[in-house]
Amino acid sequence: GEQGLVGMTLDPNFVTNGWMYLYYFHPTEAKGVFSRWEIRDNVLVANSEKVLFEWPAQRETCCHTGGGMAWDADGNLFITIGNNRGNHLSAHTDERPGRAPWDDQGGTANSNSLEGKILRIHPEPDGTYTIPKGNLFPPGTPHTRPEIYTMGHRNVWRVSIDSKTGYIYWGEVGPDARKDSDIGPMGYDELNQARHPGFFGWPYFVGESAFPEPPRIERRRA
């Protein structure tokens, strides 16, 4: 499918430390890998890999891998992880036995999975990482991953950060349904903004914002 090398970014201090981060899927094992490598004289040093984290990745069906990365002003790294689930029509909530690759409730809507998420971590010089304050789930919260910043994503390819506000923006590739049906709404692509951590809907809703409209301001003459 789409699995292979899907994302890369240079450390903000790459000129002095030569560090590059890669997000890839293992060539022989069913797992995703996020790791740091060293570049010397424009060559990738083969034995320099330091794995920051891994996660299980099904290979029974295609698609969606994510792979976008962006750094904020505090040296935190945002990483997009795709939902890695079946790609057919609308809602992916198939709970029948043997149909886990078609059920986003086990990944995207699962607070204990990295799939279908935008992560936020702070890479450390020793090749590990820490969790910045303010992610969706505080470290130690049962049945959650503290790396998660936002969840409920079908397929975030790229993420960008507003340098003035710190808000993040991303495009969300919608399902391929051409019309509303009994299994969910038609496939809307989205352009989204997050001002803070949150759950952004998939696989339970897609399209227009579920948040209430801002209050109207009435202007009257004195």
Side-chain angles (χ1 to χ4, degrees), residues 75-94:
N76 299 318
L77 178 59
F78 289 82
I79 310 164
T80 70
I81 308 293
N83 69 344
N84 189 31
R85 290 299 191 274
N87 180 37
H88 179 65
L89 296 178
S90 191
H92 296 177
T93 55
D94 193 336

Side-chain angles (χ1 to χ4, degrees), residues 149-164:
Y149 187 76
T150 60
M151 59 185 291
H153 304 302
R154 184 173 184 265
N155 192 26
V156 180
W157 283 102
R158 294 291 180 262
V159 60
S160 62
I161 303 172
D162 187 305
S163 60
K164 293 184 178 180

Side-chain angles (χ1 to χ4, degrees), residues 53-55 81-82 107 110 112-119 145 147-148:
F53 58 87
E54 301 175 337
W55 65 98
I81 308 293
N110 181 358
N112 205 25
S113 168
L114 297 183
E115 294 182 315
K117 311 295 193 299
I118 299 178
L119 312 181
R145 293 294 300 261
E147 299 92 342
I148 298 171

